[in-house]
Amino acid sequence: MNQTIRPEAGLAALEARVRRDLEMLQLPAKEWAPPLQRGGERVLDVAIIGAGMCGIAAAGALIFRGLSHIRLFEAAAPGEEGPWVTVARMDTLRSPKTLPGPCFGIPSLTFRAFYEAREGAAAWEALYKIPNAVWQDYLSWLIRVLGLPVAHRTRLLSLAPEEGLLRLHLATPEGERRLLARRVVLATGRAGAGGLAWPDVVPRALRPERAAHAYDPIDFGRLRGRSLAVLGGGAAAWDNAATALERGAASATLYVRRAQLPQINKGRGSAGPAYLQGWDALDLERRWQLIAYLHDMQAPPPHETVHRALRQPGFRIELGTPVEAVRAEGEGVALTLGGARPREVRHDFLVVGTGFRVDMDAVPELAAFAPHIARWRDRYRPPPGLSRPEMEAFPFLGPGFELTPRGPDAPPELGLVHLMNHGAFASQGSIASDIPGVAEAGERVARAILRGLVQAEWPAIRAALEAFDEPELATTPFFVAR
């Protein structure tokens, strides 16, 4: 750290600059949405589920547009929003440090401004990639400096239509609570559109004593001196193997179905404005060709993650080795392996690194809407050779990330729900999943909500215009034709 800068002094100066920037931009805009009461209850303009980077991006964009009667509901404790300091087990973010973050186009709100204020310009120049905990610090700083209204340790249990509004059923530290909102944004991360992918070959009864998902909380201290099997070759599989070995596991072996790891990160190649802003401008045929291509190419684990694992003497990887069956064996697990050397192996513990699934029927808070949500398979039939059932299960979203109806019997309130999580990928690209596009996602969702509220509340908005009576010529004589 630059010793001439105290972190608190640097941040205080930055926060003064933020206030100045917002004042010069006249942000936030004046509140304009007519207050809505229902049965003596004030209705939220927008409820945002999740206060991680997507929730922050949506909330800031809404508040800057004059929609201040919003609330973010976050299941985690303060400082633990998102995966960064809990289940994300890499050392640093995969993204380059130069990405601005959810800054709303304001330089003083970028990650770089935050880091330089806290650590100094020399530290910024020396920084290779952003450590997870530092990114979490930045997001927490955004919540504080923007004054975002976050209710922590609060989980959405269910969402249901109610006479043109949405009824939220929440679990809070004080007990269960129900409230109404005009719109709801589900900023619920990678697992928010169907949960964790768990392969059929691994009995669920093994979890948690003998097996865990790579995104489960894992007590790595229990694995000290023990043998670990990891199913999968993606980034999370490598991160969990490296973490276990660093914390004393005797060995960690990755079993990977592919004969060769992917080498090119096509996601990085599709992170520019053409993809982040133009994805949904493509017709369905071209969009599906792109979806299928990116699905097939997959992404390699970051080279930092690979070398981190390879440095550990107990690390092994077996490519071209599918796991065909798993069963309990003594206090551990037995894996039946296929491929060129079929055999059975035994380990003390198994980590399943098979990522996430998208299945709208498996999102508990959307149970009332799930049968009516359009999927891609409802709107587009791929040509022979391009069928990808996993991707066909993604929801088919509108331009503002809103759910769309499968049929005429869908409740009209369905379109008041905006899915700003991994489930948006097929319709909108990666802007609701990855750091490069999160600011664009927040802007697009906020713009759609503003337009929808203007339409819904137009009579009251027009009446407010007619009632506006601020005279321009209050101090000058009136001129009347004679």
Side-chain angles (χ1 to χ4, degrees):
M1 181 187 296
N2 186 336
Q3 296 300 316
T4 65
I5 294 179
R6 291 184 295 112
E8 61 275 14
L11 286 177
L14 176 61
E15 288 164 20
R17 198 167 95 217
V18 169
R19 290 191 293 270
R20 174 71 170 161
D21 288 346
L22 296 183
E23 179 186 351
M24 295 178 74
L25 293 168
Q26 290 290 282
L27 294 174
K30 183 180 178 181
E31 188 172 5
W32 55 267
L36 180 62
Q37 298 279 337
R38 177 70 64 83
E41 173 187 353
R42 174 72 189 272
V43 178
L44 284 173
D45 289 336
V46 186
I48 300 172
I49 310 304
M53 65 180 187
C54 285
I56 291 169
L62 287 164
I63 289 172
F64 287 165
R65 283 173 168 79
L67 290 169
S68 59
H69 193 58
I70 71 172
R71 198 73 183 270
L72 297 93
F73 299 101
E74 168 59 50
E80 294 183 359
E81 305 90 349
W84 311 108
V85 295
T86 53
V87 295
R89 298 184 174 110
M90 62 279 201
D91 288 334
T92 66
L93 303 192
R94 171 175 211 144
S95 303
K97 70 176 183 179
T98 50
L99 290 177
C103 68
F104 316 100
I106 301 169
S108 58
L109 289 174
T110 59
F111 174 79
R112 179 173 180 173
F114 166 80
Y115 193 83
E116 286 188 342
R118 196 175 79 163
E119 308 293 342
W124 166 260
E125 294 299 329
L127 181 67
Y128 169 57
K129 284 191 173 181
I130 304 170
N132 289 12
V134 176
W135 181 252
Q136 181 70 64
D137 289 345
Y138 165 65
L139 296 177
S140 297
W141 177 76
L142 284 177
I143 290 173
R144 180 173 63 80
V145 79
L146 296 174
L148 300 184
V150 181
H152 287 94
R153 299 184 178 90
T154 299
R155 185 167 54 91
L156 177 64
L157 299 176
S158 66
L159 192 61
E162 188 169 313
E163 299 178 0
L165 301 173
L166 295 166
R167 173 67 70 180
L168 292 83
H169 180 196
L170 301 161
T172 80
E174 294 76 36
E176 294 188 7
R177 180 186 176 197
R178 288 172 170 81
L179 54 81
L180 287 168
R182 285 164 153 155
R183 298 269 175 155
V184 169
V185 177
L186 295 178
T188 45
R190 291 270 181 175
L196 304 175
W198 190 267
D200 292 337
V201 297
V202 183
R204 291 182 180 271
L206 297 178
R207 192 179 183 187
E209 291 302 318
R210 292 181 172 87
H213 196 280
Y215 288 94
D216 282 336
I218 298 175
D219 178 6
F220 287 96
R222 288 181 53 214
L223 303 181
R224 179 177 291 277
R226 303 180 76 190
S227 164
L228 177 68
V230 184
L231 196 163
W238 287 80
D239 287 329
N240 276 265
T243 301
L245 290 167
E246 289 166 356
R247 299 189 189 180
S251 65
T253 304
L254 261 63
Y255 295 101
V256 184
R257 180 181 297 274
R258 286 173 175 259
Q260 180 179 348
L261 293 175
Q263 299 297 305
I264 307 297
N265 184 1
K266 296 292 183 176
R268 182 168 295 177
S270 60
Y275 291 94
L276 299 179
Q277 299 177 30
W279 181 290
D280 64 343
L282 299 172
D283 60 38
L284 297 190
E285 179 181 6
R286 289 181 177 179
R287 224 187 304 177
W288 187 260
Q289 291 170 352
L290 180 58
I291 292 165
Y293 174 72
L294 292 173
H295 171 268
D296 293 349
M297 293 302 295
Q298 298 294 312
H303 68 273
E304 300 94 343
T305 294
V306 170
H307 287 288
R308 175 190 174 198
L310 292 176
R311 285 195 297 269
Q312 304 298 321
F315 177 80
R316 291 183 62 213
I317 181 170
E318 296 203 22
L319 295 165
T321 308
V323 175
E324 297 180 344
V326 180
R327 71 173 194 278
E329 175 84 6
E331 295 184 356
V333 291
L335 281 62
T336 302
L337 306 178
R341 289 200 307 132
R343 64 197 189 280
E344 187 172 277
V345 296
R346 290 166 176 75
H347 291 275
D348 296 315
F349 196 79
L350 170 67
V351 170
V352 174
T354 48
F356 307 92
R357 64 174 179 159
V358 172
D359 178 0
M360 301 312 292
D361 291 325
V363 182
E365 58 267 33
L366 288 178
F369 289 108
H372 306 290
I373 297 171
R375 278 68 158 179
W376 265 80
R377 60 175 174 259
D378 300 316
R379 301 295 179 86
Y380 181 74
R381 179 169 295 181
L386 277 183
S387 178
R388 302 290 186 275
E390 182 180 343
M391 304 308 296
E392 291 164 28
F394 274 66
F396 190 95
L397 304 181
F401 292 69
E402 67 273 19
L403 299 176
T404 62
R406 175 180 276 174
D409 59 339
E413 296 88 350
L414 181 79
L416 305 179
V417 181
H418 301 258
L419 196 70
M420 195 178 165
N421 62 26
H422 179 56
F425 171 76
S427 296
Q428 302 290 354
S430 62
I431 62 176
S433 301
D434 296 329
I435 294 171
V438 65
E440 172 66 23
E443 290 294 312
R444 198 177 302 179
V445 167
R447 192 180 309 121
I449 290 175
L450 180 148
R451 293 168 64 88
L453 287 179
V454 167
Q455 291 176 317
E457 300 294 340
W458 180 244
I461 293 171
R462 172 61 190 266
L465 172 63
E466 294 177 5
F468 180 79
D469 61 354
E470 212 175 273
E472 289 283 332
L473 302 176
T475 61
T476 59
F478 289 95
F479 293 90
V480 181
R482 297 180 179 178

